[in-house]
Amino acid sequence: MYPLITLETYSQMVMKDGTENPFYDEELIEFTVPYSWLSRIVSKELGKNKLEEYLDTYTWDETWSLYEEATADKVIVKERIVER
C-alpha cells in the first residue's frame, strides 16, 4: 500500500437532506488521502515547497478546501466523523 496521511477538518454544517447538522460544534471529519496527492496539491495550489512545512502551519480552513478537492478527485481512502 502507498503512504497515506490523515487530516482533520470541520464537520458538515448542513446534512445531505438540507437540514442543519445539530452536532456541528461537537464533531469533526477525519479523512485519509494518498501522501503523493496531498504533496502535489500543496505544492501546486498552496505554493508551499515542503509538505512538512504545510503540516506544521495549516488551519482547518485550508483542510476544508482540501477535503472538498479530495472528494471531487475521489482520492479519499477513509473518512469518519469523530468527536471534537
Side-chain angles (χ1 to χ4, degrees):
M1 177 73 106
Y2 46 88
L4 302 172
I5 188 162
T6 299
L7 300 168
E8 298 176 344
T9 195
Y10 301 106
S11 182
Q12 297 284 349
M13 188 176 283
V14 178
M15 308 289 277
K16 290 181 182 181
D17 65 3
T19 61
E20 185 176 320
N21 180 355
F23 305 107
Y24 175 77
D25 291 327
E26 299 156 10
E27 61 188 22
L28 56 92
I29 298 173
E30 283 185 353
F31 63 103
T32 303
V33 295
Y35 187 91
S36 59
W37 177 87
L38 182 61
S39 182
R40 181 177 50 80
I41 295 299
V42 167
S43 322
K44 184 175 110 181
E45 296 184 14
L46 301 178
K48 305 281 186 185
N49 292 329
K50 295 181 181 178
L51 182 56
E52 290 75 21
E53 178 184 334
Y54 170 77
L55 293 173
D56 288 339
T57 62
Y58 76 92
T59 67
W60 276 11
D61 290 337
E62 292 172 327
T63 55
W64 179 254
S65 63
L66 286 172
Y67 173 74
E68 289 181 320
E69 191 159 355
T71 300
D73 289 350
K74 297 181 176 156
V75 296
I76 296 178
V77 175
K78 181 179 176 184
E79 176 179 339
R80 68 185 189 134
I81 296 174
V82 297
E83 290 184 29
R84 283 192 195 191

